[in-house]
Amino acid sequence: MSPASPLPCSRAPLVRPDVDVIVVGAGVMGAAAAWQVARSGRRVLLVDRFAAGHTHGASHGASRIYRQAYGSARYLRLATDALPLWRELEAETGAALLTTTGGVDHGDPASVAEIAATLAAHDVPHAWLDPDRAALLWPGMRFDGPVLHQPDRAGRIAADQAVAAFIAAARGHGAEVRRPLAVTEIDIRGDDQVRVRTPDGVLGARRVIVAAGAWSAKLLGGIVALPPLRVTQEQPAYFPFRVRPPCVARADDWPIFIHHGPGVYGLTDPCGEVKVGFHGTGPVCDPDRRTFTPEPEGLRRLQDYVAAWLPGLDPGRPTPISCTYTSTSDAEFFLERHGPVVVGAGFSGHGFKHAPAVGRILADLAADRAVVEVGA
């Protein structure tokens, strides 16, 4: 992730920048980038086309997974880098954001073995459990083959509160936030100046960080050579417990879980239900024309999965929810600078946990600091 060649720019007269950096997109990545820019002492303006608390993107909701259990060493290191930053954000804002529950991986043997090898190579504590033993530890769950348990570096992030905390912390360091305010065009004026056009007028900055999620291609088409980005409407659902087992007195007592093969993830919600979803299987959508309506066959498959593998939950009473994934073909993040434009895109449904570390990378790119490969 490094600066790319300068792009052709307008020959119109330069104008004095209003701020050092404009961040476009106040989801978790943009908010994290604004925090990192502001805490470095630079003037930053964070803008978003939607009002606070909207449900149009990928950052809303009660919870997201935090885990270091990756087969990729790069993403394990990135998640590791993010953990102390999550704790710094909690300390700075007083918000409780990351609850440690532990995590389990099971299913496809090759995938789980690769994760175990990467954890071992990075000295991350983990253990193998027999599936019957795991089922005794967590009644109401069934397991497919040997279970990889990571006890202390996995858990649940309070998603809505995390985004709000990043924004509050950025403001605490002097950042300005304007929303709702749509960006209609980005106009490059040179290697050190960019104009951002909005319905309320034109804003100038030395750099712009674009973290626009599903709208990245629409906003950056013709400006930055993005990889193909696939936008899908994902539809996980919350399922209630049938009867909470005696040893599951709190939602924290079920670990976050990944079932490799079917490609299913799950985590407990602070309110005591369990969020379960297929990873990246939703229909392709236009983010401006979403239905927010569950696709019946997808919901039925999810209910069938819960009935088979999570007998402690009631598959007949789902509460479907909707969000977007913006995915690259290989699920790799796109983090680059092109002239004065810094881009964070393609987080492929596994970016939230990494947000504070990604925000730091984006801020460093905007400050012309050298950035090595993600997670290195």
Side-chain angles (χ1 to χ4, degrees):
M1 311 314 140
S2 57
S5 302
L7 297 175
C9 60
S10 168
R11 296 184 180 276
L14 300 180
V15 296
R16 180 183 63 82
D18 299 289
V19 293
D20 296 311
V21 180
I22 296 172
V23 180
V24 180
V28 71
M29 297 304 183
W35 175 52
Q36 294 285 359
V37 173
R39 75 199 302 228
S40 73
R42 288 171 286 168
R43 296 172 302 157
V44 59
L45 169 63
L46 175 64
V47 301
D48 195 286
R49 64 183 294 185
F50 300 110
H54 74 89
T55 60
H56 298 282
S59 296
H60 62 280
S63 55
R64 294 292 188 279
I65 285 174
Y66 175 83
R67 62 198 288 261
Q68 295 181 7
Y70 272 87
S72 163
R74 289 183 298 161
Y75 287 99
L76 183 152
R77 289 192 293 263
L78 191 66
T80 300
D81 290 346
L83 181 56
L85 293 172
W86 281 116
R87 297 310 186 194
E88 285 182 33
L89 181 64
E90 289 179 317
E92 193 168 313
T93 62
L97 302 174
L98 174 54
T99 301
T100 300
T101 63
V104 294
D105 291 76
H106 66 112
D108 177 62
S111 298
V112 180
E114 182 182 23
I115 292 169
T118 307
L119 292 176
H122 290 80
D123 297 320
V124 178
H126 62 284
W128 287 102
L129 301 175
D130 176 89
D132 292 335
R133 170 63 177 160
L136 287 174
L137 288 173
W138 301 294
M141 304 178 74
R142 288 181 180 148
F143 298 96
D144 183 9
V147 177
L148 179 64
H149 179 218
Q150 204 296 307
D152 64 349
R153 302 185 196 179
R156 180 184 66 244
I157 302 168
D160 284 335
Q161 291 94 320
V163 176
F166 279 126
I167 293 174
R171 279 183 163 137
H173 290 284
E176 181 183 356
V177 181
R178 297 188 198 175
R179 62 188 310 175
L181 182 63
V183 170
T184 57
E185 185 181 357
I186 295 173
D187 182 13
I188 297 172
R189 294 301 182 98
D191 289 341
D192 208 37
Q193 189 177 66
V194 63
R195 279 182 157 183
V196 173
R197 300 183 182 276
T198 78
D200 290 352
V202 178
L203 304 166
R206 292 188 59 250
R207 296 281 186 270
V208 60
I209 297 173
V210 179
W215 292 269
S216 297
K218 291 188 175 189
L219 185 57
L220 293 168
I223 300 174
V224 173
L226 295 170
L229 296 175
R230 183 174 184 266
V231 179
T232 54
Q233 178 174 278
E234 301 300 319
Q235 49 187 53
Y238 287 106
F239 292 88
F241 281 96
R242 291 181 184 274
V243 177
R244 186 178 294 278
C247 66
V248 185
R250 299 173 297 120
D252 301 357
D253 292 330
W254 262 26
I256 63 101
F257 54 92
I258 308 291
H259 190 172
H260 301 268
V264 175
Y265 65 90
L267 66 161
T268 51
D269 178 80
C271 295
E273 295 190 326
V274 180
K275 179 181 177 181
V276 185
F278 288 104
H279 177 70
T281 63
V284 172
C285 71
D286 180 329
D288 292 313
R289 299 176 182 273
R290 285 172 62 197
T291 65
F292 292 85
T293 301
E295 188 272 316
E297 177 60 22
L299 181 59
R300 184 194 63 76
R301 288 197 307 119
L302 189 59
Q303 291 176 281
D304 288 346
Y305 176 88
V306 168
W309 291 100
L310 301 169
L313 304 182
D314 184 347
R317 292 192 292 150
T319 302
I321 53 178
S322 176
C323 66
T324 58
Y325 275 20
T326 303
S327 302
T328 59
S329 60
D330 55 6
E332 297 285 335
F333 301 167
F334 183 80
L335 304 170
E336 291 190 4
R337 179 169 71 82
H338 292 248
V341 180
V342 176
V343 183
F347 295 104
S348 305
H350 69 112
F352 202 107
K353 68 181 73 63
H354 304 291
V358 168
R360 184 166 62 186
I361 291 171
L362 296 173
D364 285 348
L365 286 170
D368 301 334
R369 286 193 283 268
V371 176
V372 295
E373 184 180 40
V374 165

